[in-house]
Amino acid sequence: MEVNINTTDFSEILTAKPTIFPRSGYSILSFIMFLNAVFSIFNNLLVILVTIRYPQLRNPINIFILNLSFSDLLMTLCGTTIVVSTTYHGYFYLGKKFCIFQGFAVNYFGIVSLWSLTLLAYERYNVVCQPVGALKLNTRRGYQGLIFIWLFCLIWAVAPLFGWSSYGPEGVQTSCSIGWEERTWNNYSYLIAYFLTCFIIPVAIIGFSYGTILRSLHKLNRKIEGQGGKTDREEELRVVVMVLFMVIAFLICWLPYTVFALIVIIKPTLYISPLAATLPTYFAKTSPVYNPIIYIFLNKQFRNCAVECLTCGHIALSTPKEDSASMAVPAEIQTVPKLNQVTPA
């Protein structure tokens, strides 16, 4: 069934009854999004609570991790939880204004999370790879980075509200987002600019940052071996695998959106089925679930603090002395022994 959507006039769509999927199809999608919402809210709330409770976790570089969890939590509350209900009903029954609000919120908090990951990658690179005396991350600079993230992303989220592109129903019509399917040059120009600033530039920064960290670690190990010392190749492999997980997770979240936008721009007449048009937003809504796992819970000290918090102190996997010595930067960076550039929290 072909559905031709005009995102500038969607009053009929918002009151339509389910026609794209059978009733069971909407129920299955709703249940999947319910599980997504539960795990996302639990994971990100745990990150925020543990970070607030344990002072040793509150160092400048973790400002971006905390910001990531906060934006992911808001993205879930304003996006995924709403989609659970609308998908169960089979259409976006909450009205045009709420549709625009949801599209704006998901877009805004989504790109805030994206740029939080980008600045996090750059600051990790700066801590590990820059020479002694280079500008290092401190609390003030961290907050300046947060101000940049929220203001810069606000520009791209607000633009459709003022006529540069638009917000409207997408895919199977149970959620709202940017008007990907609107075939106008006004929308194309927004998508091109969005593609550059919210995919190409972040991917370039993340790739450069983590790639340089891995090369620095490899060169350091070879230098140590050349001097007759011993290195931990298993640890180096673990770092490589963890960085690959970070990059792959980022691409899973944002690459479908990018491909969809490029298809719309390059071949406007191509028909895209409602289900195919829905997949990008579903992939993006999974990021609040795995971001805390990849970026936070794989860190040994944070994991120890989380276990202690969940068990009300009955299980302590580390001692306070160990805690105070290990949380300057995430685990994968701690493998690079530039201690003069890493200040313990």
Side-chain angles (χ1 to χ4, degrees):
M1 176 181 178
E2 297 191 6
V3 179
N4 186 18
I5 300 172
N6 180 2
T7 55
T8 59
D9 182 14
F10 46 79
S11 57
E12 292 184 3
I13 294 175
L14 295 177
T15 58
K17 296 298 180 183
T19 56
I20 298 174
F21 275 170
R23 177 71 265 170
S24 59
Y26 285 106
S27 298
I28 293 172
L29 285 177
S30 178
F31 179 70
I32 293 173
M33 296 311 293
F34 171 76
L35 295 178
N36 186 312
V38 170
F39 286 113
S40 175
I41 292 173
F42 175 81
N43 288 350
N44 288 288
L45 271 180
L46 180 61
V47 171
I48 294 171
L49 292 174
V50 171
T51 304
I52 292 174
R53 178 174 177 180
Y54 295 91
Q56 64 266 34
L57 300 178
R58 298 197 294 269
N59 60 64
I61 205 166
N62 282 350
I63 290 175
F64 296 108
I65 292 180
L66 185 61
N67 189 65
L68 172 65
S69 289
F70 181 67
S71 59
D72 278 348
L73 179 62
L74 291 178
M75 179 177 165
T76 301
L77 294 176
C78 297
T80 309
T81 54
I82 295 172
V83 172
V84 171
S85 178
T86 55
T87 301
Y88 181 78
H89 283 79
Y91 66 105
F92 201 94
Y93 64 92
L94 298 173
K96 178 178 179 179
K97 291 183 178 179
F98 210 95
C99 177
I100 293 174
F101 165 76
Q102 194 223 10
F104 165 81
V106 171
N107 185 27
Y108 185 29
F109 299 132
I111 54 179
V112 165
S113 297
L114 180 151
W115 272 98
S116 296
L117 296 177
T118 304
L119 263 64
L120 176 63
Y122 173 74
E123 292 300 346
R124 286 173 166 176
Y125 153 79
N126 196 46
V127 168
V128 174
C129 302
Q130 290 300 299
V132 178
L135 181 61
K136 298 305 173 190
L137 182 65
N138 52 41
T139 302
R140 180 179 179 182
R141 186 178 171 204
Y143 285 123
Q144 289 173 344
L146 294 188
I147 292 173
F148 163 77
I149 289 173
W150 286 90
L151 292 181
F152 177 77
C153 296
L154 182 63
I155 294 173
W156 294 105
V158 167
L161 299 178
F162 289 90
W164 194 19
S165 187
S166 61
Y167 289 116
E170 62 179 351
V172 295
Q173 312 305 298
T174 59
S175 64
C176 299
S177 182
I178 299 169
W180 302 104
E181 301 170 9
E182 184 181 338
R183 273 33 179 201
T184 64
W185 284 109
N186 174 61
N187 193 48
Y188 295 158
S189 63
Y190 177 83
L191 293 179
I192 292 172
Y194 192 89
F195 167 73
L196 292 174
T197 58
C198 296
F199 186 77
I200 292 297
I201 293 177
V203 165
I205 294 174
I206 289 174
F208 168 79
S209 299
Y210 286 130
T212 306
I213 289 174
L214 293 179
R215 286 195 300 271
S216 297
L217 176 59
H218 183 67
K219 288 180 180 179
L220 179 64
N221 283 340
R222 291 189 63 181
K223 183 178 179 180
I224 293 174
E225 290 175 350
Q227 296 174 350
K230 293 183 178 180
T231 59
D232 190 346
R233 286 296 178 180
E234 291 185 2
E235 182 67 15
E236 182 179 352
L237 179 61
R238 188 190 70 82
V239 175
V240 172
V241 171
M242 188 171 183
V243 169
L244 285 176
F245 270 121
M246 292 177 181
V247 175
I248 291 172
F250 181 90
L251 293 177
I252 288 175
C253 176
W254 292 101
L255 189 58
Y257 256 116
T258 304
V259 171
F260 189 55
L262 288 177
I263 291 175
V264 169
I265 295 170
I266 295 173
K267 198 167 184 180
T269 58
L270 180 67
Y271 168 72
I272 301 175
S273 68
L275 178 58
T278 300
L279 291 179
T281 186
Y282 275 78
F283 277 117
K285 288 182 176 65
T286 62
S287 62
V289 177
Y290 55 71
N291 275 341
I293 297 173
I294 294 175
Y295 289 89
I296 300 162
F297 293 133
L298 291 181
N299 180 282
K300 181 178 180 181
Q301 190 193 15
F302 192 97
R303 185 169 62 249
N304 293 344
C305 292
V307 170
E308 184 177 341
C309 181
L310 290 173
T311 60
C312 299
H314 289 91
I315 299 177
L317 302 181
S318 63
T319 65
K321 183 177 180 179
E322 290 174 337
D323 285 344
S324 63
S326 62
M327 196 57 188
V329 289
E332 69 276 11
I333 294 181
Q334 294 173 11
T335 60
V336 183
K338 290 192 175 184
L339 299 180
N340 56 346
Q341 297 184 40
V342 181
T343 304

